[in-house]
Amino acid sequence: MHESVNTSFGNVCYELKVNIQTCGFGINTWSESLRLPVFRIPKEGTPHALRLTDPLRMQADWLGAVELQVLRDTVSVADNSKMRALVVIRPLQKGLQLTDVGLRLSETVCHKTATDRFGDPHSHHKVISERLKAIGDSITGLSSLPLSQEHSMTLSLPIPKAFSGVQYTMDTPRISIVHELVLTATVIGRDQTPHYLRISSHVRIVPKLALEDNFTELPPYYSASFDRLLLGSSEEQLDQPPSFSSLPPPSYGFAASTCNISLA
């Protein structure tokens, strides 16, 4: 049973349908359907679960002249929320200028079919969200500022709702969805030559409930080799906390920088 996904290569969705029949003067039937997203939750305390709360620390040194940093409390971010990150630009040499700083979140979907057993998987890449902050002086009209001291700022990116603007991070035998956070900065050198700096790291887009441990539990799915699925719903909650007795490893582990997909 595959997790819910909606990509250009196809989609998987699940629907809960309820039928009610009443007897009396004729048979009356009511039917109601509700689309339900299905995703996997790692077992509490396992390496997969701990990775969801790993801090994000990106750092790079450009030719001993400029140091770039991106800091976040966690590598995971929920869909339909805002992703905030602390960006630090630290000069290591004098005579440089800073023009702009940007953040970009991208998504790459790789899909392999039976006909691609010996070829490359189909892939689709798109930018989910981005922001570019110009560094300048509105009073003097300068388009850049001397990079004489450390510049730190908090930038935020809006994360769209899952299945419409973004997909959850996952890695299965047939489909892989990875997300990359990119920091860009334009630095003017001493000779007035612009240099476009870039560092990146993978992040994970997950349901909000996966970060809050607030979800409902479906019964075991016996026809799928006792594969237990967890279904999150913000509208309905169980009174008793769910059990973590027999959860499979999640499909989203460390997101690889390349799409290595093999058929079972």
Side-chain angles (χ1 to χ4, degrees), residues 23-147:
C23 299
F25 296 99
I27 299 178
N28 298 317
T29 303
W30 288 271
S31 179
E32 187 71 26
S33 298
L34 176 65
R35 180 165 291 187
L36 300 174
V38 175
F39 52 88
R40 299 182 190 274
I41 299 295
K43 184 177 180 180
E44 186 178 18
T46 63
H48 297 288
L50 295 177
R51 287 169 189 164
L52 292 179
T53 58
D54 282 346
L56 175 63
R57 297 289 186 271
M58 279 196 293
Q59 182 173 341
D61 184 336
W62 176 66
L63 300 177
V66 178
E67 184 181 273
L68 307 177
Q69 280 188 338
V70 178
L71 308 174
R72 262 183 57 83
D73 292 337
T74 173
V75 298
S76 302
V77 59
D79 66 301
N80 198 25
S81 66
K82 284 193 174 183
M83 182 181 196
R84 293 180 175 83
L86 176 64
V87 176
V88 179
I89 312 294
R90 183 177 296 110
L92 304 177
Q93 293 181 7
K94 297 181 179 180
L96 305 176
Q97 299 180 65
L98 182 63
T99 299
D100 56 57
V101 177
L103 272 183
R104 181 172 67 249
L105 178 67
S106 63
E107 177 181 87
T108 302
V109 180
C110 297
H111 173 66
K112 195 167 186 177
T113 65
T115 59
D116 300 312
R117 183 180 297 273
F118 303 104
D120 295 330
H122 300 287
S123 64
H124 175 71
H125 178 85
K126 68 175 182 178
V127 175
I128 300 299
S129 183
E130 62 182 336
R131 180 183 177 186
L132 183 66
K133 180 178 178 61
I135 307 297
D137 193 329
S138 59
I139 298 178
T140 62
L142 296 175
S143 59
S144 60
L145 289 178
L147 195 55

